[in-house]
Amino acid sequence: MMKYLQRLGRAIMQPVAVLPLAGLLLGIGYWIDPSGWGANSAIAAFLIKAGGAIIDNLPILFAVGIAYGMSKDGNGAAALSGLVAFLTVTTLLSEATVGMLRGGAEVLTEEGFGKINNAFIGILSGLVAAACYDRFHQTKLPDALAFFSGRRLTPIVTSFIMILVSGILYFVWPKIYGGLVTAGNWMVERGAVGAGLFGFFNRLLIPAGLHHALNAVFWFDTIGIGDLTHFFDGTGTVGVTGMYMGGFFPIMMFGLPGAALAMYHAAKPEKKKTAYGLLLSASLASFLVGLTEPIEFAFMFLAPGLYFIHALLTGVSLLIANLFHATSGFGFSAGAIDFILSLKNPVANKPWILILMGLVFFAVYYVLFRFFITKFNLKTPGREDDDLAYTEEKGEADKKVLSKATDFNRMAKTIVQGLGGKENIDRLDYCSTRLRVEVKDDAKVNEQQIKSAGASGIMKPGKNALQVIIGQQVQFVYDEIQKMI
């Protein structure tokens, strides 16, 4: 299971990599026009809409990116299948379609069909599509249907599977969504403790996209609280209104950047540059705008235990903020831009406490993340499995650059033979310097033959898993092997 989550974590990094840019575009646009969101400035409108094009379509990015990344050979047909899967389920379970299925009957808001376009559905669609692709991309149909054989078959099969999944979700989704709304009502009665529980479950439900159900209860007028709406319309109560928002500022502005710094310091030396680019831009997005997904999805599946700690600390932050009656609010999210703008709001109370809390949470996040990452060798960015058992000797092997005259086709053939033939290759991928291979029967692997092809070394992180160290031109060997299999 953990290995599967780590593969999912690696696959999800492709769509996550574009999020920091979206956050910065939104932040600059929001800074230019915080009240009109582009209505008062053409430049702001351009930037906000450009950033929103990415953020608003995050679920579909997950569907396509995960389908591509989780498939055995990363073929474009897998990505297309992910898109088909997502479009199928979100269309069948949209409020309009559900209303038609019920003969025009009203679709209640608390059923949650209006929120079906979420990260969970995107991830689910990608996983289903990848599984369908791996299972059916080599299927041969009778001659009369030969046009639909192989990779062309996978989007078709995926659509049928997602119809079945949609049928199940039609009954399950409203119960899950409605249950969260009921839980939110229960938390409200618990005061500061309830606010802490809200913060905890708000983060914990982000992977499933179900945090919107809780947000609707606390931030808007689902049950008459309207913590966000009353903060900005001036009808709130000082020291009370904003109690479900204030505690997020220390986490988003300080805590998560502290976690990012810990992940950077814990990265392998040869991976620090790669981790630096991702984590720095993600930290800026979190600090300035409160866009946390670039950081959270960077470790959510690679180290789920850390994500639980993050959710717990978020709950603690909201609890403490409420005990001190430190409140603030946001129009977009709990970043520095919203914090500065909220200082002028007469409903804000003791906002300076949130900054002091943030400094403490920066240290807490850094210490806890650094400790758990190194103590349990968690696979956060820069510590992926392709770095397992890295030694100075193998590090030098990774730096090897093959000659331009190298016969990559012959090299690939020898490696395939050494792996026990193409029939024995279950999964093939590559990183910056290594082929990552999963074989069906490790007894058929001939390491000496693989090395005779020119490979610098072989590593075995698992019984059926191998890493063939090629060097910085590994892509060309990978491409040749792909042609063969």
Side-chain angles (χ1 to χ4, degrees), residues 181-226:
V181 173
T182 301
N185 294 337
W186 178 84
M187 292 177 199
V188 170
E189 302 172 359
R190 269 63 190 172
V193 173
L197 289 172
F198 164 64
F200 171 70
F201 285 107
N202 174 277
R203 294 295 96 182
L204 205 63
L205 291 170
I206 278 192
L210 291 170
H211 58 298
H212 295 297
L214 284 183
N215 294 346
V217 172
F218 292 91
W219 291 349
F220 306 107
D221 288 320
T222 303
I223 61 174
I225 298 176

mmCIF file of all heavy atoms in Angstrom, residues 181-226:
data_model
loop_
_atom_site.group_PDB
_atom_site.id
_atom_site.type_symbol
_atom_site.label_atom_id
_atom_site.label_comp_id
_atom_site.label_asym_id
_atom_site.label_seq_id
_atom_site.Cartn_x
_atom_site.Cartn_y
_atom_site.Cartn_z
ATOM 1 N N VAL A 181 -21.757 17.787 6.618
ATOM 2 C CA VAL A 181 -22.525 18.957 7.027
ATOM 3 C C VAL A 181 -23.083 18.760 8.438
ATOM 4 O O VAL A 181 -23.033 19.660 9.279
ATOM 5 C CB VAL A 181 -23.664 19.238 6.027
ATOM 6 C CG1 VAL A 181 -24.564 20.358 6.539
ATOM 7 C CG2 VAL A 181 -23.098 19.606 4.656
ATOM 8 N N THR A 182 -23.574 17.562 8.709
ATOM 9 C CA THR A 182 -24.080 17.248 10.054
ATOM 10 C C THR A 182 -22.966 17.339 11.089
ATOM 11 O O THR A 182 -23.159 17.873 12.196
ATOM 12 C CB THR A 182 -24.684 15.833 10.077
ATOM 13 O OG1 THR A 182 -25.754 15.759 9.122
ATOM 14 C CG2 THR A 182 -25.215 15.490 11.457
ATOM 15 N N ALA A 183 -21.785 16.817 10.744
ATOM 16 C CA ALA A 183 -20.639 16.895 11.649
ATOM 17 C C ALA A 183 -20.257 18.350 11.903
ATOM 18 O O ALA A 183 -19.894 18.731 13.026
ATOM 19 C CB ALA A 183 -19.450 16.135 11.058
ATOM 20 N N GLY A 184 -20.345 19.193 10.865
ATOM 21 C CA GLY A 184 -20.039 20.609 11.033
ATOM 22 C C GLY A 184 -20.976 21.270 12.019
ATOM 23 O O GLY A 184 -20.548 22.072 12.866
ATOM 24 N N ASN A 185 -22.259 20.948 11.950
ATOM 25 C CA ASN A 185 -23.227 21.495 12.897
ATOM 26 C C ASN A 185 -22.888 21.102 14.332
ATOM 27 O O ASN A 185 -23.015 21.908 15.268
ATOM 28 C CB ASN A 185 -24.635 21.004 12.545
ATOM 29 C CG ASN A 185 -25.122 21.544 11.218
ATOM 30 O OD1 ASN A 185 -24.644 22.574 10.749
ATOM 31 N ND2 ASN A 185 -26.069 20.858 10.596
ATOM 32 N N TRP A 186 -22.428 19.870 14.498
ATOM 33 C CA TRP A 186 -22.054 19.382 15.833
ATOM 34 C C TRP A 186 -20.835 20.136 16.365
ATOM 35 O O TRP A 186 -20.751 20.475 17.543
ATOM 36 C CB TRP A 186 -21.779 17.883 15.756
ATOM 37 C CG TRP A 186 -21.341 17.273 17.053
ATOM 38 C CD1 TRP A 186 -22.131 16.836 18.076
ATOM 39 C CD2 TRP A 186 -19.988 17.052 17.475
ATOM 40 N NE1 TRP A 186 -21.367 16.345 19.101
ATOM 41 C CE2 TRP A 186 -20.045 16.466 18.765
ATOM 42 C CE3 TRP A 186 -18.745 17.280 16.885
ATOM 43 C CZ2 TRP A 186 -18.901 16.107 19.472
ATOM 44 C CZ3 TRP A 186 -17.609 16.928 17.597
ATOM 45 C CH2 TRP A 186 -17.684 16.355 18.865
ATOM 46 N N MET A 187 -19.862 20.419 15.485
ATOM 47 C CA MET A 187 -18.650 21.129 15.899
ATOM 48 C C MET A 187 -18.957 22.546 16.354
ATOM 49 O O MET A 187 -18.322 23.070 17.269
ATOM 50 C CB MET A 187 -17.646 21.178 14.751
ATOM 51 C CG MET A 187 -17.049 19.832 14.362
ATOM 52 S SD MET A 187 -15.944 20.008 12.944
ATOM 53 C CE MET A 187 -15.861 18.316 12.378
ATOM 54 N N VAL A 188 -19.916 23.175 15.721
ATOM 55 C CA VAL A 188 -20.257 24.558 16.064
ATOM 56 C C VAL A 188 -20.625 24.674 17.535
ATOM 57 O O VAL A 188 -20.294 25.661 18.212
ATOM 58 C CB VAL A 188 -21.417 25.055 15.170
ATOM 59 C CG1 VAL A 188 -21.956 26.386 15.678
ATOM 60 C CG2 VAL A 188 -20.946 25.200 13.734
ATOM 61 N N GLU A 189 -21.290 23.659 18.046
ATOM 62 C CA GLU A 189 -21.733 23.683 19.442
ATOM 63 C C GLU A 189 -20.579 23.529 20.427
ATOM 64 O O GLU A 189 -20.762 23.724 21.627
ATOM 65 C CB GLU A 189 -22.756 22.564 19.664
ATOM 66 C CG GLU A 189 -23.982 22.660 18.764
ATOM 67 C CD GLU A 189 -24.873 21.433 18.871
ATOM 68 O OE1 GLU A 189 -24.500 20.507 19.637
ATOM 69 O OE2 GLU A 189 -25.917 21.401 18.196
ATOM 70 N N ARG A 190 -19.375 23.199 19.960
ATOM 71 C CA ARG A 190 -18.228 22.956 20.838
ATOM 72 C C ARG A 190 -17.322 24.174 20.991
ATOM 73 O O ARG A 190 -16.245 24.076 21.569
ATOM 74 C CB ARG A 190 -17.399 21.774 20.330
ATOM 75 C CG ARG A 190 -17.813 20.417 20.907
ATOM 76 C CD ARG A 190 -19.194 20.059 20.532
ATOM 77 N NE ARG A 190 -19.731 18.900 21.236
ATOM 78 C CZ ARG A 190 -20.991 18.541 21.139
ATOM 79 N NH1 ARG A 190 -21.814 19.254 20.398
ATOM 80 N NH2 ARG A 190 -21.458 17.501 21.787
ATOM 81 N N GLY A 191 -17.691 25.326 20.486
ATOM 82 C CA GLY A 191 -16.915 26.545 20.674
ATOM 83 C C GLY A 191 -15.518 26.462 20.104
ATOM 84 O O GLY A 191 -15.311 26.050 18.961
ATOM 85 N N ALA A 192 -14.528 26.826 20.938
ATOM 86 C CA ALA A 192 -13.127 26.837 20.497
ATOM 87 C C ALA A 192 -12.656 25.443 20.117
ATOM 88 O O ALA A 192 -11.895 25.276 19.157
ATOM 89 C CB ALA A 192 -12.241 27.420 21.596
ATOM 90 N N VAL A 193 -13.098 24.440 20.865
ATOM 91 C CA VAL A 193 -12.723 23.061 20.536
ATOM 92 C C VAL A 193 -13.300 22.675 19.165
ATOM 93 O O VAL A 193 -12.634 22.031 18.348
ATOM 94 C CB VAL A 193 -13.222 22.084 21.610
ATOM 95 C CG1 VAL A 193 -12.977 20.643 21.189
ATOM 96 C CG2 VAL A 193 -12.525 22.372 22.942
ATOM 97 N N GLY A 194 -14.522 23.107 18.914
ATOM 98 C CA GLY A 194 -15.130 22.839 17.622
ATOM 99 C C GLY A 194 -14.387 23.511 16.486
ATOM 100 O O GLY A 194 -14.242 22.942 15.407
ATOM 101 N N ALA A 195 -13.884 24.731 16.744
ATOM 102 C CA ALA A 195 -13.088 25.427 15.726
ATOM 103 C C ALA A 195 -11.808 24.646 15.433
ATOM 104 O O ALA A 195 -11.368 24.544 14.279
ATOM 105 C CB ALA A 195 -12.752 26.839 16.198
ATOM 106 N N GLY A 196 -11.195 24.098 16.499
ATOM 107 C CA GLY A 196 -10.001 23.276 16.305
ATOM 108 C C GLY A 196 -10.304 22.028 15.505
ATOM 109 O O GLY A 196 -9.538 21.639 14.608
ATOM 110 N N LEU A 197 -11.439 21.388 15.790
ATOM 111 C CA LEU A 197 -11.835 20.205 15.029
ATOM 112 C C LEU A 197 -12.108 20.559 13.570
ATOM 113 O O LEU A 197 -11.767 19.801 12.661
ATOM 114 C CB LEU A 197 -13.085 19.585 15.660
ATOM 115 C CG LEU A 197 -12.887 18.899 17.013
ATOM 116 C CD1 LEU A 197 -14.229 18.507 17.618
ATOM 117 C CD2 LEU A 197 -11.994 17.674 16.864
ATOM 118 N N PHE A 198 -12.700 21.735 13.360
ATOM 119 C CA PHE A 198 -12.933 22.188 11.997
ATOM 120 C C PHE A 198 -11.618 22.331 11.241
ATOM 121 O O PHE A 198 -11.481 21.879 10.099
ATOM 122 C CB PHE A 198 -13.684 23.516 12.003
ATOM 123 C CG PHE A 198 -13.627 24.240 10.681
ATOM 124 C CD1 PHE A 198 -14.194 23.692 9.542
ATOM 125 C CD2 PHE A 198 -12.998 25.470 10.576
ATOM 126 C CE1 PHE A 198 -14.134 24.354 8.319
ATOM 127 C CE2 PHE A 198 -12.935 26.143 9.366
ATOM 128 C CZ PHE A 198 -13.507 25.583 8.234
ATOM 129 N N GLY A 199 -10.627 22.964 11.869
ATOM 130 C CA GLY A 199 -9.331 23.121 11.224
ATOM 131 C C GLY A 199 -8.686 21.784 10.894
ATOM 132 O O GLY A 199 -8.110 21.598 9.818
ATOM 133 N N PHE A 200 -8.795 20.839 11.818
ATOM 134 C CA PHE A 200 -8.217 19.505 11.621
ATOM 135 C C PHE A 200 -8.862 18.801 10.433
ATOM 136 O O PHE A 200 -8.183 18.312 9.528
ATOM 137 C CB PHE A 200 -8.402 18.680 12.896
ATOM 138 C CG PHE A 200 -8.044 17.224 12.753
ATOM 139 C CD1 PHE A 200 -6.723 16.838 12.599
ATOM 140 C CD2 PHE A 200 -9.029 16.251 12.773
ATOM 141 C CE1 PHE A 200 -6.382 15.486 12.476
ATOM 142 C CE2 PHE A 200 -8.704 14.909 12.653
ATOM 143 C CZ PHE A 200 -7.384 14.537 12.494
ATOM 144 N N PHE A 201 -10.194 18.765 10.417
ATOM 145 C CA PHE A 201 -10.889 18.048 9.340
ATOM 146 C C PHE A 201 -10.849 18.822 8.023
ATOM 147 O O PHE A 201 -10.902 18.220 6.945
ATOM 148 C CB PHE A 201 -12.331 17.747 9.746
ATOM 149 C CG PHE A 201 -12.451 16.627 10.731
ATOM 150 C CD1 PHE A 201 -12.771 16.880 12.053
ATOM 151 C CD2 PHE A 201 -12.208 15.319 10.349
ATOM 152 C CE1 PHE A 201 -12.866 15.854 12.981
ATOM 153 C CE2 PHE A 201 -12.299 14.278 11.266
ATOM 154 C CZ PHE A 201 -12.624 14.547 12.583
ATOM 155 N N ASN A 202 -10.740 20.139 8.098
ATOM 156 C CA ASN A 202 -10.598 20.934 6.880
ATOM 157 C C ASN A 202 -9.378 20.496 6.079
ATOM 158 O O ASN A 202 -9.431 20.295 4.867
ATOM 159 C CB ASN A 202 -10.499 22.413 7.233
ATOM 160 C CG ASN A 202 -10.194 23.290 6.036
ATOM 161 O OD1 ASN A 202 -9.033 23.440 5.645
ATOM 162 N ND2 ASN A 202 -11.221 23.885 5.455
ATOM 163 N N ARG A 203 -8.257 20.326 6.767
ATOM 164 C CA ARG A 203 -7.036 19.869 6.085
ATOM 165 C C ARG A 203 -7.121 18.383 5.741
ATOM 166 O O ARG A 203 -6.691 17.959 4.669
ATOM 167 C CB ARG A 203 -5.818 20.104 6.978
ATOM 168 C CG ARG A 203 -5.484 21.542 7.245
ATOM 169 C CD ARG A 203 -5.074 22.285 5.990
ATOM 170 N NE ARG A 203 -6.201 23.009 5.392
ATOM 171 C CZ ARG A 203 -6.129 23.712 4.278
ATOM 172 N NH1 ARG A 203 -4.995 23.766 3.604
ATOM 173 N NH2 ARG A 203 -7.168 24.348 3.813
ATOM 174 N N LEU A 204 -7.669 17.601 6.643
ATOM 175 C CA LEU A 204 -7.690 16.155 6.443
ATOM 176 C C LEU A 204 -8.548 15.764 5.246
ATOM 177 O O LEU A 204 -8.285 14.751 4.585
ATOM 178 C CB LEU A 204 -8.217 15.467 7.704
ATOM 179 C CG LEU A 204 -7.800 14.014 7.942
ATOM 180 C CD1 LEU A 204 -6.290 13.914 8.107
ATOM 181 C CD2 LEU A 204 -8.499 13.465 9.173
ATOM 182 N N LEU A 205 -9.542 16.593 4.933
ATOM 183 C CA LEU A 205 -10.464 16.264 3.851
ATOM 184 C C LEU A 205 -10.041 16.842 2.506
ATOM 185 O O LEU A 205 -10.685 16.573 1.489
ATOM 186 C CB LEU A 205 -11.871 16.772 4.204
ATOM 187 C CG LEU A 205 -12.568 16.037 5.354
ATOM 188 C CD1 LEU A 205 -13.830 16.772 5.754
ATOM 189 C CD2 LEU A 205 -12.888 14.603 4.965
ATOM 190 N N ILE A 206 -8.968 17.607 2.475
ATOM 191 C CA ILE A 206 -8.540 18.220 1.218
ATOM 192 C C ILE A 206 -8.214 17.181 0.140
ATOM 193 O O ILE A 206 -8.582 17.359 -1.027
ATOM 194 C CB ILE A 206 -7.344 19.172 1.460
ATOM 195 C CG1 ILE A 206 -7.876 20.509 1.942
ATOM 196 C CG2 ILE A 206 -6.500 19.349 0.212
ATOM 197 C CD1 ILE A 206 -6.895 21.629 1.971
ATOM 198 N N PRO A 207 -7.535 16.071 0.460
ATOM 199 C CA PRO A 207 -7.260 15.082 -0.598
ATOM 200 C C PRO A 207 -8.529 14.571 -1.275
ATOM 201 O O PRO A 207 -8.505 14.207 -2.454
ATOM 202 C CB PRO A 207 -6.543 13.954 0.144
ATOM 203 C CG PRO A 207 -5.958 14.607 1.343
ATOM 204 C CD PRO A 207 -6.925 15.672 1.736
ATOM 205 N N ALA A 208 -9.629 14.538 -0.532
ATOM 206 C CA ALA A 208 -10.888 14.055 -1.094
ATOM 207 C C ALA A 208 -11.742 15.182 -1.654
ATOM 208 O O ALA A 208 -12.785 14.933 -2.247
ATOM 209 C CB ALA A 208 -11.686 13.298 -0.026
ATOM 210 N N GLY A 209 -11.316 16.432 -1.464
ATOM 211 C CA GLY A 209 -12.090 17.557 -1.954
ATOM 212 C C GLY A 209 -13.370 17.798 -1.171
ATOM 213 O O GLY A 209 -14.222 18.600 -1.563
ATOM 214 N N LEU A 210 -13.515 17.116 -0.031
ATOM 215 C CA LEU A 210 -14.746 17.215 0.749
ATOM 216 C C LEU A 210 -14.720 18.337 1.788
ATOM 217 O O LEU A 210 -15.693 18.533 2.513
ATOM 218 C CB LEU A 210 -15.017 15.872 1.455
ATOM 219 C CG LEU A 210 -15.388 14.721 0.515
ATOM 220 C CD1 LEU A 210 -15.399 13.405 1.281
ATOM 221 C CD2 LEU A 210 -16.745 14.966 -0.119
ATOM 222 N N HIS A 211 -13.605 19.057 1.857
ATOM 223 C CA HIS A 211 -13.534 20.169 2.811
ATOM 224 C C HIS A 211 -14.539 21.260 2.467
ATOM 225 O O HIS A 211 -14.914 22.066 3.327
ATOM 226 C CB HIS A 211 -12.116 20.748 2.852
ATOM 227 C CG HIS A 211 -11.614 21.234 1.534
ATOM 228 N ND1 HIS A 211 -11.453 20.401 0.453
ATOM 229 C CD2 HIS A 211 -11.239 22.472 1.111
ATOM 230 C CE1 HIS A 211 -11.005 21.098 -0.573
ATOM 231 N NE2 HIS A 211 -10.873 22.357 -0.205
ATOM 232 N N HIS A 212 -14.989 21.296 1.209
ATOM 233 C CA HIS A 212 -15.971 22.303 0.818
ATOM 234 C C HIS A 212 -17.265 22.168 1.614
ATOM 235 O O HIS A 212 -17.945 23.161 1.883
ATOM 236 C CB HIS A 212 -16.272 22.192 -0.674
ATOM 237 C CG HIS A 212 -15.099 22.505 -1.545
ATOM 238 N ND1 HIS A 212 -14.502 23.749 -1.554
ATOM 239 C CD2 HIS A 212 -14.400 21.749 -2.426
ATOM 240 C CE1 HIS A 212 -13.499 23.748 -2.423
ATOM 241 N NE2 HIS A 212 -13.407 22.545 -2.952
ATOM 242 N N ALA A 213 -17.622 20.936 1.969
ATOM 243 C CA ALA A 213 -18.848 20.728 2.741
ATOM 244 C C ALA A 213 -18.737 21.392 4.109
ATOM 245 O O ALA A 213 -19.662 22.076 4.569
ATOM 246 C CB ALA A 213 -19.118 19.235 2.901
ATOM 247 N N LEU A 214 -17.597 21.212 4.775
ATOM 248 C CA LEU A 214 -17.391 21.858 6.071
ATOM 249 C C LEU A 214 -17.286 23.375 5.919
ATOM 250 O O LEU A 214 -17.820 24.127 6.727
ATOM 251 C CB LEU A 214 -16.125 21.311 6.728
ATOM 252 C CG LEU A 214 -16.209 19.923 7.363
ATOM 253 C CD1 LEU A 214 -14.893 19.574 8.022
ATOM 254 C CD2 LEU A 214 -17.327 19.853 8.379
ATOM 255 N N ASN A 215 -16.559 23.817 4.900
ATOM 256 C CA ASN A 215 -16.417 25.254 4.689
ATOM 257 C C ASN A 215 -17.772 25.930 4.531
ATOM 258 O O ASN A 215 -17.994 27.039 5.030
ATOM 259 C CB ASN A 215 -15.571 25.531 3.449
ATOM 260 C CG ASN A 215 -14.128 25.084 3.624
ATOM 261 O OD1 ASN A 215 -13.680 24.796 4.731
ATOM 262 N ND2 ASN A 215 -13.395 25.004 2.528
ATOM 263 N N ALA A 216 -18.686 25.270 3.821
ATOM 264 C CA ALA A 216 -20.013 25.839 3.600
ATOM 265 C C ALA A 216 -20.754 26.033 4.921
ATOM 266 O O ALA A 216 -21.514 26.991 5.086
ATOM 267 C CB ALA A 216 -20.820 24.946 2.657
ATOM 268 N N VAL A 217 -20.513 25.140 5.877
ATOM 269 C CA VAL A 217 -21.181 25.236 7.171
ATOM 270 C C VAL A 217 -20.647 26.408 7.981
ATOM 271 O O VAL A 217 -21.412 27.186 8.571
ATOM 272 C CB VAL A 217 -21.005 23.921 7.972
ATOM 273 C CG1 VAL A 217 -21.534 24.080 9.389
ATOM 274 C CG2 VAL A 217 -21.721 22.786 7.259
ATOM 275 N N PHE A 218 -19.341 26.584 8.003
ATOM 276 C CA PHE A 218 -18.724 27.569 8.888
ATOM 277 C C PHE A 218 -18.533 28.943 8.246
ATOM 278 O O PHE A 218 -18.669 29.960 8.905
ATOM 279 C CB PHE A 218 -17.368 27.050 9.370
ATOM 280 C CG PHE A 218 -17.466 25.870 10.293
ATOM 281 C CD1 PHE A 218 -17.434 24.574 9.796
ATOM 282 C CD2 PHE A 218 -17.611 26.041 11.655
ATOM 283 C CE1 PHE A 218 -17.528 23.482 10.635
ATOM 284 C CE2 PHE A 218 -17.709 24.958 12.515
ATOM 285 C CZ PHE A 218 -17.667 23.671 11.995
ATOM 286 N N TRP A 219 -18.183 28.970 6.974
ATOM 287 C CA TRP A 219 -17.824 30.249 6.352
ATOM 288 C C TRP A 219 -19.013 30.963 5.730
ATOM 289 O O TRP A 219 -19.015 32.180 5.612
ATOM 290 C CB TRP A 219 -16.757 30.027 5.265
ATOM 291 C CG TRP A 219 -15.428 29.631 5.835
ATOM 292 C CD1 TRP A 219 -15.050 29.655 7.143
ATOM 293 C CD2 TRP A 219 -14.298 29.132 5.105
ATOM 294 N NE1 TRP A 219 -13.756 29.197 7.278
ATOM 295 C CE2 TRP A 219 -13.268 28.882 6.046
ATOM 296 C CE3 TRP A 219 -14.065 28.886 3.762
ATOM 297 C CZ2 TRP A 219 -12.020 28.393 5.677
ATOM 298 C CZ3 TRP A 219 -12.822 28.400 3.385
ATOM 299 C CH2 TRP A 219 -11.810 28.162 4.334
ATOM 300 N N PHE A 220 -20.018 30.210 5.315
ATOM 301 C CA PHE A 220 -21.153 30.817 4.630
ATOM 302 C C PHE A 220 -22.428 30.599 5.432
ATOM 303 O O PHE A 220 -22.380 30.186 6.590
ATOM 304 C CB PHE A 220 -21.246 30.267 3.204
ATOM 305 C CG PHE A 220 -19.951 30.429 2.442
ATOM 306 C CD1 PHE A 220 -19.148 29.329 2.168
ATOM 307 C CD2 PHE A 220 -19.511 31.674 2.047
ATOM 308 C CE1 PHE A 220 -17.938 29.478 1.484
ATOM 309 C CE2 PHE A 220 -18.303 31.836 1.375
ATOM 310 C CZ PHE A 220 -17.521 30.741 1.099
ATOM 311 N N ASP A 221 -23.564 30.872 4.845
ATOM 312 C CA ASP A 221 -24.807 30.905 5.618
ATOM 313 C C ASP A 221 -25.612 29.613 5.539
ATOM 314 O O ASP A 221 -26.843 29.637 5.590
ATOM 315 C CB ASP A 221 -25.670 32.079 5.146
ATOM 316 C CG ASP A 221 -25.100 33.415 5.600
ATOM 317 O OD1 ASP A 221 -24.627 33.483 6.749
ATOM 318 O OD2 ASP A 221 -25.122 34.363 4.806
ATOM 319 N N THR A 222 -24.908 28.489 5.415
ATOM 320 C CA THR A 222 -25.598 27.200 5.334
ATOM 321 C C THR A 222 -26.496 26.983 6.551
ATOM 322 O O THR A 222 -27.632 26.529 6.433
ATOM 323 C CB THR A 222 -24.578 26.046 5.236
ATOM 324 O OG1 THR A 222 -23.735 26.276 4.105
ATOM 325 C CG2 THR A 222 -25.290 24.717 5.071
ATOM 326 N N ILE A 223 -25.983 27.304 7.743
ATOM 327 C CA ILE A 223 -26.787 27.173 8.973
ATOM 328 C C ILE A 223 -26.805 28.488 9.747
ATOM 329 O O ILE A 223 -27.071 28.523 10.950
ATOM 330 C CB ILE A 223 -26.268 26.034 9.869
ATOM 331 C CG1 ILE A 223 -24.825 26.301 10.303
ATOM 332 C CG2 ILE A 223 -26.372 24.694 9.168
ATOM 333 C CD1 ILE A 223 -24.313 25.289 11.315
ATOM 334 N N GLY A 224 -26.483 29.590 9.052
ATOM 335 C CA GLY A 224 -26.590 30.903 9.682
ATOM 336 C C GLY A 224 -25.338 31.444 10.341
ATOM 337 O O GLY A 224 -25.387 32.505 10.974
ATOM 338 N N ILE A 225 -24.179 30.747 10.208
ATOM 339 C CA ILE A 225 -22.944 31.243 10.832
ATOM 340 C C ILE A 225 -22.325 32.339 9.973
ATOM 341 O O ILE A 225 -22.111 33.467 10.430
ATOM 342 C CB ILE A 225 -21.935 30.107 11.042
ATOM 343 C CG1 ILE A 225 -22.502 29.053 11.981
ATOM 344 C CG2 ILE A 225 -20.630 30.652 11.620
ATOM 345 C CD1 ILE A 225 -21.612 27.860 12.165
ATOM 346 N N GLY A 226 -22.017 32.041 8.737
ATOM 347 C CA GLY A 226 -21.479 33.027 7.801
ATOM 348 C C GLY A 226 -20.231 33.714 8.320
ATOM 349 O O GLY A 226 -20.107 34.945 8.232
#
